[in-house]
Amino acid sequence: MEIVPGVHWIKGITSQCYIVVDKELTLIDTGMPHKTKKILRYITDDLQRTPSDLKTILLTHCDIDHVGNACELRNITGAKIAAHQQDAEIIAGKKIRTTPKGGMSTLFKLLGSFLRMKPFHVDLLINDSDNLSGFTVLHMPGHTMGSIALYDSKRKVLFIGDTLRCKHGIILGPSKNVTMDIKQAYRSIEKLKNLDFTVMLSGHGEPLRKNASALVTEFIEKIKKVEATR
Ligand SMILES: [Zn+2]
């Protein structure tokens, strides 16, 4: 489904994944394992492009529901996988993804072995302010320490990963139980204050299609007020 010209939402994959169409194709997040065929079908049938047109797979963070098809897609298409260094180490199995109470990290591990998800290496390590495939990288530590947002200034679209969610037009912070450092996540969100974007695309929930930067600024102000009363 095309959200704005050149930006597509591949529906029916948990979590949300998006494909940006320029001369080359860029995939942002890849969903839970075993959805590779669905993503490839979107490229060939909906976009009428060939799988080898996919040149870059950008991962907003290390969670299994975002990286699940990345390795298989790379094997088929030859695309390069990019992620922030801190999460690349978790994706490669060198570090463990922690959670506030510890319990969920066991769940992530179990889910990984249940879905037969193997660790893999990332081709490109990205950092704050990097420019890659037409996007500016914003490092947003909190949900995971290597979480990133990707800003498409040409289209005024922000891909926010799991740092913010949008449900029924309402912005929510990251899910607390699976967020490594919630305070840090809220500090990262403040980075978005002066960014100009119309559309925000999150890893969970629906696209926020209008006035996204104003709504995010409102959300930031709301959090500050709540913090001030604590
Ligand atoms: Zn996540």
Side-chain angles (χ1 to χ4, degrees):
M1 177 194 210
E2 194 168 39
I3 295 170
V4 292
V7 178
H8 293 249
W9 172 20
I10 309 176
K11 281 190 158 189
I13 293 170
T14 316
S15 314
Q16 314 300 17
C17 65
Y18 305 98
I19 195 155
V20 178
V21 180
D22 282 311
K23 216 164 150 199
E24 297 177 352
L25 303 179
T26 304
L27 184 68
I28 296 167
D29 285 337
T30 69
M32 275 285 188
H34 309 302
K35 291 287 181 188
T36 299
K37 276 190 189 146
K38 194 169 178 130
I39 295 170
L40 289 172
R41 230 180 294 129
Y42 195 91
I43 292 174
T44 53
D45 298 3
D46 293 73
L47 300 176
Q48 301 278 309
R49 300 281 294 254
T50 57
S52 61
D53 287 342
L54 181 67
K55 299 294 182 199
T56 316
I57 300 169
L58 295 170
L59 300 174
T60 61
H61 63 293
C62 62
D63 286 344
I64 188 169
D65 54 337
H66 294 257
V67 308
N69 300 289
C71 196
E72 210 179 339
L73 283 168
R74 169 172 63 190
N75 292 342
I76 296 168
T77 64
K80 294 254 186 287
I81 301 174
H84 190 275
Q85 174 143 21
Q86 296 205 43
D87 274 24
E89 289 176 355
I90 296 173
I91 295 167
K94 291 179 190 158
K95 256 168 69 179
I96 289 176
R97 198 260 200 236
T98 58
T99 44
K101 287 175 191 153
M104 289 301 282
S105 52
T106 317
L107 182 69
F108 276 111
K109 239 178 157 180
L110 281 175
L111 206 59
S113 53
F114 178 69
L115 294 167
R116 281 173 285 154
M117 171 76 200
K118 287 197 189 110
F120 58 89
H121 76 275
V122 161
D123 304 294
L124 305 164
L125 298 176
I126 48 178
N127 244 308
D128 195 53
S129 311
D130 281 355
N131 283 298
L132 193 73
S133 311
F135 301 95
T136 305
V137 176
L138 299 163
H139 185 206
M140 307 286 289
H143 177 64
T144 63
M145 287 309 146
S147 282
I148 55 163
L150 295 157
Y151 178 50
D152 180 340
S153 60
K154 190 175 77 181
R155 297 185 175 94
K156 301 261 181 270
V157 176
L158 181 72
F159 299 87
I160 191 69
D162 282 3
T163 298
L164 287 173
R165 296 169 292 156
C166 176
K167 297 236 158 115
H168 312 296
I170 295 166
I171 297 175
L172 303 167
S175 182
K176 254 189 194 167
N177 293 336
V178 287
T179 292
M180 287 169 88
D181 185 338
I182 193 81
K183 280 192 178 159
Q184 176 64 59
Y186 282 127
R187 279 198 295 277
S188 292
I189 293 164
E190 292 211 22
K191 273 192 186 178
L192 305 175
K193 232 178 154 183
N194 299 313
L195 206 66
D196 176 24
F197 53 99
T198 311
V199 174
M200 186 177 79
L201 301 172
S202 171
H204 299 276
E206 320 89 40
L208 188 60
R209 293 165 187 264
K210 272 193 225 161
N211 303 328
S213 49
L215 292 167
V216 168
T217 303
E218 252 174 50
F219 177 77
I220 294 167
E221 295 303 327
K222 202 171 87 187
I223 302 167
K224 273 192 181 163
K225 271 186 201 153
V226 174
E227 286 291 314
T229 56
R230 271 183 192 165

